[in-house]
Amino acid sequence: MFIVGTFTLLLIILKNQILSGYPLFPIQEINFIDSDYRLPESYKFYFERSFVKDGYDISYRHFKNLSIVEKFLQWLSIKGLTGIVNKFILVLMLCFPIFIIKSKYKKPLVFIYFLAVIQLCVLFLTSPQYRFFLVFVLAFMAIIFFSIFQQKKLLKILLVFGIIFSAIPLFFSFQLAKFTNNQFTQNNSQFQFKNIVVPHKNSKYEYVYQKEKIGNLEYNNPVNQNFFWITGDGELPSIKKEQIEFFYKNFHTIPQLRTGKLKDGFYAKPVENFEDE
């Protein structure tokens, strides 16, 4: 476990260094390599505010004025599917120690629970979105389930029903508007038999792209979708023009190719003589 964990940590550090210029992004105080593509500090503040909005569903200004208890209550009171899952996580974390006491595998379960507590604390201080914690939710549920149901015949029956139940969303459409405001996840995609041979596209939507250029960067702008972060299946690099204009007007930077070649990546170039049009 130590070897696998160390190797995974090194991969995460390498990934963060390549993508952001910081090995432990969003922590900017730790920096081993001075890279020319490092994200500006203003970007970090912007994404911090975004993390707060995604994790707590309130404004950053409101979030800064809350106590730890108030933040926790806000996290629990989020509406929709997010609030339901958050409450379920709390119940699971409170009940699992009781299961550990009654189990004969106390040491490994305590270790797993300890890791879950650490991750939940880290997420609570950064961006407590339940999708980051699902690995422990699924692990705890599986451990409890297979500890209670140990008869092989029963497990085989449950396995068959589980496969059938999980296959239903693949072939039938469901309206999920009651659980999410995200228009892209309100309808699930259906599996088609041709996908056994031919994989489905990366996106279920059709996009229309328009060539744009800023400095030495030529990019594909999806013009028939309003979502700010959308890229779709366009030829790289693909990015919304509105996104580039947003960072230009608010942070006075534009994305540029580091060497003129796409494979060498991008950097945020400060704009001199900025004019707010």
Side-chain angles (χ1 to χ4, degrees), residues 223-238:
V223 295
N224 64 329
Q225 288 285 350
N226 295 324
F227 184 45
F228 186 72
W229 300 105
I230 206 71
T231 53
D233 288 332
E235 182 180 352
L236 297 178
S238 294

Side-chain angles (χ1 to χ4, degrees), residues 4 19 40 63-64 66 70-71 75 133 197 205 217 241:
V4 173
L19 290 180
F63 172 80
K64 295 296 289 184
L66 296 180
E70 289 172 333
K71 291 175 183 176
W75 179 74
F133 197 72
V197 179
Y205 299 100
L217 175 64
K241 183 178 181 180

Side-chain angles (χ1 to χ4, degrees), residues 146-159:
F146 289 111
S147 297
I148 297 174
F149 302 100
Q150 296 184 353
Q151 297 182 10
K152 290 186 177 180
K153 289 184 178 180
L154 178 61
L155 289 177
K156 289 180 179 179
I157 295 173
L158 292 175
L159 180 61

Side-chain angles (χ1 to χ4, degrees), residues 235-272:
E235 182 180 352
L236 297 178
S238 294
I239 187 173
K240 287 288 290 183
K241 183 178 181 180
E242 289 81 359
Q243 188 182 143
I244 289 182
E245 291 176 344
F246 174 84
F247 281 90
Y248 168 69
K249 292 180 179 179
N250 289 277
F251 305 107
H252 307 171
T253 60
I254 57 174
Q256 294 289 274
L257 296 173
R258 293 175 62 226
T259 64
K261 297 179 181 179
L262 180 60
K263 67 176 183 178
D264 293 327
F266 315 89
Y267 75 102
K269 179 182 179 180
V271 179
E272 297 180 359

Side-chain angles (χ1 to χ4, degrees), residues 193-207:
F193 285 103
K194 68 177 183 179
N195 297 144
I196 296 176
V197 179
V198 181
H200 195 281
K201 296 189 306 180
N202 290 335
S203 175
K204 62 183 177 181
Y205 299 100
E206 296 293 333
Y207 299 94

Side-chain angles (χ1 to χ4, degrees), residues 28-81:
Q28 293 185 334
E29 289 72 22
I30 300 177
N31 182 27
F32 303 130
I33 303 174
D34 188 15
S35 51
D36 61 350
Y37 60 89
R38 201 167 53 192
L39 288 178
E41 187 174 346
S42 56
Y43 282 25
K44 179 198 172 188
F45 179 66
Y46 170 76
F47 285 113
E48 278 182 353
R49 290 184 296 176
S50 300
F51 294 157
V52 167
K53 176 63 178 176
D54 294 336
Y56 292 94
D57 197 29
I58 54 176
S59 67
Y60 186 76
R61 180 178 298 180
H62 185 194
F63 172 80
K64 295 296 289 184
N65 293 327
L66 296 180
S67 66
I68 294 179
V69 174
E70 289 172 333
K71 291 175 183 176
F72 176 72
L73 294 176
Q74 172 62 31
W75 179 74
L76 279 181
S77 62
I78 296 176
K79 297 180 181 179
L81 179 63

Side-chain angles (χ1 to χ4, degrees), residues 202-226:
N202 290 335
S203 175
K204 62 183 177 181
Y205 299 100
E206 296 293 333
Y207 299 94
V208 177
Y209 293 90
Q210 180 176 315
K211 287 284 186 182
E212 303 282 354
K213 188 173 183 180
I214 181 169
N216 71 350
L217 175 64
E218 188 175 87
Y219 64 96
N220 296 291
N221 172 34
V223 295
N224 64 329
Q225 288 285 350
N226 295 324

